[in-house]
Amino acid sequence: MEENKPLRKRDKIIRGFSKLLKEEKLKAVAEYIENPGEFIALLKSFWYQDFEKQKQFDEFSENTISNYHVPYGVSPNVVINGKSYVVPMVIEESSVVAAASAAAKFWGDRGGFHAEIVDVKKVGQVHFCWKGEKQTLINLLPEIKNEFIKNTDSITEKMKKRGGGILDIELIDFTDKIPDYYQFLVTFNTCDSMGANFINSILESFGHTLQDFFSKQDNLDEESRIVEIVMCILSNYTPECRVKVWVECPTSELNGIDERLDGKAFAEKFKKAVDIAIIDPYRAATHNKGIYNGIDAVVIATGNDFRATEAAGHSYAARNGHYASLSYVEIKDDIFRFTLDVPLALGTVGGLTSLHPLAKKSLELLGNPSAKELMMIAATMGLANNYAAVKSLTTKGIQQGHMKMHLANIMNQLGATEEEKIKAEQYFKDKTVSYSEAERFISKIRS
Ligand code: MEV
């Protein structure tokens, strides 16, 4: 019946959408689709039968009408600082988990990955405008800071007990760039939580305190008793919440990776590829994307915020005024060392880490790590994927491996049987894979 209804015109607005029930939302949205019945059935087929379980997912976000599945893979035998992990990786891109696993195996035989936390400081800012004398602000600073701390005691109490809290409050004068504009740059330790809510609550409290404080300064002129709070928000640029991971071995242990090059020559070519990503932003973006293939997969699997970690990494990659690689290679005394130096603000308690049943299990699979340990694990997978990508690029190219997966995906799309898939794999061994070629091959063998 619904199938005969005309499609909803795209210039019409659905009013009051957020107030509709889930079923009603689904129906309203289906009006944009040629076959609404099929659309509704498909989206519903991805609902959990268990009402409570589905409700939990629906409530993570808004206007939810279904669930979107992404593969959950694992990379076993990842040795970091002598400890072995099975690392969960949630990613839709083929080859990433295989590449990480192969790199983990290779480096596992060469001492594993080494990792160290540089620091775990997170930052937030109160951006405000004030028209008074700068020196007055400086003179009042100790008093203002005291008020800040006093008024946030109830928020920081628990975090202080865990060893965290507010570490520093710095006034920064930007009045030469924007008239009357200052900021408080606040540094935090949020222990094992990502801490976004904690930080933002404190910053908003600081904002109120600042306005309140100046409104009571009767000795100041009227204008100086007014503070404009522009915004209070954490910064995703966390250069001091950082981790370093590296692998190293004598170049002779790289013999055999490329049949045309010995280990030393391979190491030098590999370094050249990484150096290119250090000087050239076009290459750096792709190089770093390969790093985030590994990092994001772990970040998502553990219920962390991958947009935040990417924002941190890409801004850190541009810290010297031009966008560059997050990893680098050193070859000294015939020792090859490949290092990734990356900011990562992750949490292992609170938020989705405990709400999402799979995020919770991912953390259990990793042995319920601290936030610091998780930073090391996620960065390791970034380095593993970076190593695998640059190794492939500098030896046989990446298409060989990718095309195998690509062919498998096409075969699935064409509804190929297992027997047909094997035949296709044989046939395309030395040929270029494309959808149309695969389609032609399938119809040929079927006829
Ligand atoms: C593909 O997802 C990632 C690579 O492009 C990374 C790289 O080029 O280093 C293979």
Side-chain angles (χ1 to χ4, degrees):
M1 194 173 59
E2 277 164 358
E3 273 146 50
N4 297 329
K5 263 171 71 177
L7 283 184
R8 182 186 278 268
K9 291 221 170 60
R10 295 206 175 256
D11 57 359
K12 291 274 178 309
I13 288 202
I14 314 175
R15 298 210 181 273
F17 185 77
S18 67
K19 308 246 163 21
L20 297 179
L21 296 172
K22 187 171 158 188
E23 293 258 7
E24 293 169 337
K25 281 180 188 154
L26 189 51
K27 248 175 133 179
V29 172
E31 286 176 26
Y32 288 98
I33 297 264
E34 214 151 313
N35 188 340
E38 187 199 35
F39 175 77
I40 291 172
L42 178 73
L43 267 74
K44 277 190 168 181
S45 74
F46 284 90
W47 289 8
Y48 289 109
Q49 295 309 309
D50 179 338
F51 177 78
E52 283 307 317
K53 194 167 166 188
Q54 183 54 54
K55 190 162 166 276
Q56 186 184 33
F57 278 89
D58 288 346
E59 288 173 0
F60 287 154
S61 179
E62 303 79 32
N63 288 345
T64 41
I65 54 172
S66 192
N67 305 308
Y68 189 101
H69 292 218
V70 181
Y72 182 110
V74 287
S75 186
N77 309 317
V78 180
V79 178
I80 308 169
N81 294 343
K83 192 170 163 184
S84 178
Y85 297 89
V86 177
V87 183
M89 300 180 81
V90 171
I91 188 153
E92 86 299 344
E93 186 176 330
S94 56
S95 301
V96 169
V97 178
S101 304
K105 182 170 185 313
F106 180 84
W107 287 107
D109 294 338
R110 288 162 180 78
F113 295 87
H114 310 273
E116 69 183 24
I117 297 293
V118 179
D119 212 333
V120 289
K121 286 183 194 144
K122 291 167 188 168
V123 282
Q125 298 162 302
V126 177
H127 304 270
F128 68 98
C129 289
W130 187 65
K131 290 189 187 302
E133 276 292 313
K134 185 182 169 188
Q135 195 51 48
T136 309
L137 184 56
I138 292 169
N139 294 344
L140 289 170
L141 214 49
E143 245 182 282
I144 295 171
K145 284 187 187 177
N146 273 345
E147 288 291 299
F148 279 169
I149 300 295
K150 194 178 79 197
N151 293 346
T152 48
D153 263 348
S154 61
I155 314 176
T156 55
E157 195 189 337
K158 268 201 197 147
M159 194 64 88
K160 279 195 278 194
K161 278 191 189 135
R162 288 196 259 144
I166 301 163
L167 301 180
D168 191 33
I169 304 169
E170 191 187 347
L171 175 72
I172 302 184
D173 177 3
F174 275 116
T175 52
D176 60 331
K177 300 217 166 58
I178 296 177
D180 314 319
Y181 165 54
Y182 298 88
Q183 66 170 242
F184 280 111
L185 184 67
V186 191
T187 315
F188 300 88
N189 177 354
T190 62
C191 301
D192 283 333
S193 65
M194 199 277 177
N197 281 330
F198 173 77
I199 293 175
N200 289 333
S201 302
I202 290 173
L203 296 172
E204 287 192 4
S205 163
F206 281 11
H208 296 308
T209 299
L210 194 62
Q211 283 183 315
D212 201 41
F213 180 88
F214 275 99
S215 72
K216 290 180 190 146
Q217 300 300 309
D218 295 333
N219 53 335
L220 296 182
D221 60 56
E222 205 174 321
E223 197 176 50
S224 307
R225 273 185 264 143
I226 296 168
V227 176
E228 183 197 8
I229 300 295
V230 182
M231 57 193 160
C232 307
I233 186 74
L234 64 74
S235 170
N236 285 120
Y237 183 44
T238 53
E240 288 191 274
C241 186
R242 231 168 76 226
V243 54
K244 270 189 189 179
V245 282
W246 69 96
V247 285
E248 61 185 4
C249 71
T251 56
S252 59
E253 286 189 29
L254 303 173
N255 285 341
I257 291 179
D258 188 324
E259 57 200 31
R260 295 155 304 178
L261 302 173
D262 67 10
K264 191 164 183 234
F266 165 78
E268 274 157 11
K269 189 173 177 194
F270 188 101
K271 177 170 164 34
K272 207 175 284 169
V274 178
D275 286 348
I276 291 169
I278 290 172
I279 62 151
D280 174 33
Y282 282 97
R283 174 57 202 149
T286 321
H287 180 94
N288 289 343
K289 190 269 182 185
I291 292 172
Y292 279 99
N293 276 345
I295 293 181
D296 283 352
V298 180
V299 170
I300 297 171
T302 55
N304 276 280
D305 180 343
F306 62 94
R307 285 88 54 214
T309 53
E310 290 238 5
H314 295 304
S315 40
Y316 185 66
R319 68 193 178 283
N320 295 325
H322 90 108
Y323 186 83
S325 163
L326 288 164
S327 61
Y328 54 90
V329 174
E330 295 151 300
I331 305 171
K332 212 171 147 205
D333 301 330
D334 275 334
I335 300 289
F336 168 84
R337 185 192 254 232
F338 183 35
T339 307
L340 171 63
D341 173 13
V342 68
L344 263 178
L346 300 181
T348 53
V349 296
L352 215 59
T353 59
S354 35
L355 288 176
H356 195 300
L358 287 180
K360 212 171 161 182
K361 275 290 159 222
S362 294
L363 290 167
E364 198 182 321
L365 190 60
L366 292 169
N368 289 318
S370 64
K372 285 182 182 171
E373 200 176 348
L374 184 61
M375 284 164 73
M376 296 197 266
I377 297 165
T380 292
M381 300 322 278
L383 185 72
N385 272 106
N386 192 204
Y387 171 78
V390 177
K391 186 201 82 173
S392 291
L393 290 168
T394 53
T395 54
K396 56 187 185 329
I398 57 159
Q399 282 314 83
Q400 200 175 305
H402 270 207
M403 280 303 147
K404 215 173 145 197
M405 300 299 285
H406 185 46
L407 178 64
N409 285 339
I410 296 174
M411 285 295 128
N412 283 338
Q413 281 173 37
L414 295 173
T417 62
E418 287 311 309
E419 200 187 334
E420 287 170 342
K421 283 181 195 170
I422 293 168
K423 281 185 182 159
E425 217 175 283
Q426 284 292 330
Y427 177 79
F428 282 102
K429 221 172 198 159
D430 51 1
K431 294 179 186 63
T432 308
V433 179
S434 73
Y435 191 91
S436 51
E437 278 305 315
E439 208 172 22
R440 207 165 297 140
F441 174 76
I442 281 284
S443 27
K444 201 171 151 203
I445 58 168
R446 281 180 186 167
S447 64

